[in-house]
């Protein structure tokens, strides 16, 4: 496609000793011009102070290599569940954690923080969504140049926002409209029941219900499970039920020009697959033997 600005990368690690400088180096080694980090392990809340994270060195290297800082994404830890209406303590902890993650995201000069909307734990779904909204309204403010991107979920268990209507409901009720948007995950929407064989229809629906102007970033993953399975297990690009051509249609969709696309596909033989996947995406050519001697 002419004039299509492909912005592609993967999630990369951010760990000792090189921290953010290492993240940028890793992204560049895959041929990326975008990437996503967790500012610490996604499963826990142990965090290295940002002063130690070699942020300025990372930013310098990114800028020298044409990675636009707007295409760098941060992902909040999984432990945050602002929708937990069973346990007020979890809500309080989640809110504190989200506030500190916004601060950390800002310390990294990253402008988009992806957040899982949480789960109702089979309590009243509407109440759970309303508490998520309250949490967002508590956490967001204009002190930081950081937007939260609510991720579309597969609907595993009682996950919130496994449909565009719930995403729209949350977004509509957030006070700081300039600080909220969406991260669309292809594996999650497939597992939630959206048909990527007809992605233009999916985008039409998204536009009607949520608004395409709210879309900030995409997670590009194939899925191990069929449409509507509510499982959330990512597969390597072209090896799953969504398939290579459908993912290429997403990645090169005219309406998604200029949006960062981030791979979160599983490691193969203990190694990151992203260099190979990104090459296939750039060539628009799938090779089913690409990992045969990997
Ligand atoms: Fe996620
Ligand atoms: Fe994702
Ligand atoms: Zn997932």
């Amino acid at each position: 496609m002419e004039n299509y600005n492909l912005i592609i990368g993967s999630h990369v690690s951010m760990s000792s000793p090189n921290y953010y400088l290492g993240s940028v180096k890793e992204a560049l080694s895959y041929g990326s011009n975008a990437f996503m980090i967790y500012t610490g392990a996604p499963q826990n809340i142990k965090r290295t102070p940002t002063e130690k994270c070699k942020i300025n060195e990372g930013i310098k290297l990114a800028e020298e290599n044409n990675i636009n800082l707007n295409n760098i994404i941060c992902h909040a830890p999984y432990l945050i569940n602002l929708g937990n209406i069973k346990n007020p303590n979890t809500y309080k902890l989640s809110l504190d954690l989200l506030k500190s993650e916004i601060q950390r995201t800002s310390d990294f000069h990253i402008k988009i923080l992806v957040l899982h909307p949480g789960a109702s734990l089979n309590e009243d779904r509407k109440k759970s969504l309303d508490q998520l909204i309250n949490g967002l309204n508590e956490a967001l403010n204009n002190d930081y140049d950081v937007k939260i991107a609510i991720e579309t979920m597969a609907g595993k268990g009682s996950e919130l926002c496994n449909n565009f209507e719930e995403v729209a409901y949350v977004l509509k009720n957030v006070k700081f409209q300039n600080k909220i948007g969406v991260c669309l995950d292809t594996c999650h929407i497939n597992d939630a029941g959206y048909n990527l064989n007809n992605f233009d229809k999916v985008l039409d629906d998204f536009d009607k219900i949520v608004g395409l102007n709210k879309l900030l970033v995409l997670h590009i993953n194939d899925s191990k499970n069929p449409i509507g399975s509510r499982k959330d297990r990512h597969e390597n690009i072209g090896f799953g039920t969504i398939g290579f051509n459908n993912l290429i249609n997403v990645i090169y969709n005219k309406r998604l020009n200029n949006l960062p696309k981030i791979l979160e596909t599983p490691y193969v033989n203990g190694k990151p697959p992203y260099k190979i996947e990104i090459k296939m995406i750039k060539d628009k050519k799938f090779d089913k033997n690409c990992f045969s001697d990997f």
Side-chain angles (χ1 to χ4, degrees):
M1 196 180 298
E2 289 163 60
N3 301 322
Y4 194 82
N5 183 22
L6 176 64
I7 300 167
I8 188 87
S10 67
H11 78 88
V12 297
S13 57
M14 211 287 294
S15 56
S16 166
N18 283 324
Y19 295 102
Y20 198 50
L21 179 60
S23 307
V24 177
K25 282 184 178 165
E26 186 182 341
L28 292 170
S29 79
Y30 303 147
S32 303
N33 58 358
F35 65 88
M36 181 173 83
I37 59 161
Y38 293 82
T39 77
Q43 307 86 352
N44 68 47
I45 56 171
K46 240 185 72 201
R47 292 292 179 262
T48 307
T50 50
E51 310 84 72
K52 287 191 178 165
C53 290
K54 306 197 179 180
I55 293 171
N56 290 333
E57 291 100 312
I59 289 173
K60 185 164 174 286
L61 185 65
E63 283 178 329
E64 284 167 0
N65 287 279
N66 296 317
I67 295 182
N68 186 322
L69 299 189
N70 293 322
N71 297 326
I72 302 175
I73 313 294
C74 186
H75 196 306
Y78 302 150
L79 290 170
I80 295 177
N81 181 6
L82 291 172
N84 187 331
I85 48 175
K86 256 186 188 165
N87 187 341
N89 227 11
T90 311
Y91 172 73
K92 173 85 179 61
L93 284 170
S94 293
L95 186 54
D96 289 345
L97 196 50
L98 180 58
K99 285 177 179 171
S100 86
E101 281 293 309
I102 293 172
Q103 173 68 59
R104 283 177 73 79
T105 305
S106 167
D107 289 350
F108 279 84
H109 300 259
I110 294 176
K111 296 181 173 61
I112 299 172
L113 174 62
V114 173
L115 175 70
H116 289 184
S120 71
L121 308 172
N122 299 317
E123 302 288 312
D124 188 311
R125 230 178 140 83
K126 166 88 165 44
K127 274 193 193 149
S128 178
L129 284 164
D130 286 338
Q131 186 175 266
L132 164 62
I133 291 160
N134 281 340
L136 291 168
N137 283 331
E138 289 281 328
L140 287 169
N141 58 62
N142 281 325
D143 298 349
Y144 302 103
D145 186 14
V146 174
K147 292 183 185 191
I148 287 184
I150 297 291
E151 185 162 356
T152 58
M153 302 309 284
K156 195 175 55 182
S158 61
E159 275 173 349
L160 302 172
C161 295
N162 63 327
N163 58 67
F164 298 159
E165 286 78 6
E166 283 189 358
V167 173
Y169 177 74
V170 172
L171 262 60
K172 216 176 45 211
N173 288 289
V174 166
K175 274 183 282 191
F176 290 94
Q177 280 295 310
N178 59 329
K179 290 282 186 270
I180 192 83
V182 179
C183 168
L184 194 81
D185 185 310
T186 55
C187 169
H188 296 178
I189 62 171
N190 171 77
D191 290 14
Y194 292 93
N195 189 351
L196 283 111
N197 291 312
N198 195 352
F199 184 64
D200 273 302
K201 162 83 166 63
V202 174
L203 270 191
D204 288 344
D205 288 348
F206 185 91
D207 194 26
K208 230 178 291 163
I209 298 165
V210 182
L212 266 178
N213 61 328
K214 285 291 182 190
L215 190 51
L216 302 177
V217 51
L218 288 101
H219 286 168
I220 305 293
N221 304 301
D222 216 324
S223 175
K224 286 192 194 293
N225 291 289
I227 176 173
S229 58
R230 303 180 71 140
K231 285 279 207 281
D232 187 7
R233 292 188 64 215
H234 303 183
E235 180 56 283
N236 292 102
I237 301 302
F239 289 91
T241 57
I242 299 173
F244 190 76
N245 290 338
N246 282 342
L247 290 169
I248 288 291
N249 279 338
V250 176
I251 294 165
Y252 288 95
N253 193 289
K254 275 197 297 258
R255 288 188 274 177
L256 308 180
N257 197 3
N258 294 313
L259 288 179
K261 322 238 168 34
I262 305 290
L263 305 171
E264 305 173 292
T265 49
Y267 275 32
V268 177
N269 299 330
K271 287 175 285 186
Y274 308 118
K275 187 177 179 181
I276 290 172
E277 291 181 331
I278 287 169
K279 170 99 171 55
M280 291 195 296
I281 287 166
K282 286 179 179 172
D283 295 344
K284 299 185 190 172
K285 199 168 178 305
F286 180 56
D287 172 10
K288 67 178 188 333
N289 297 315
C290 63
F291 297 120
S292 56
D293 46 31
F294 188 61

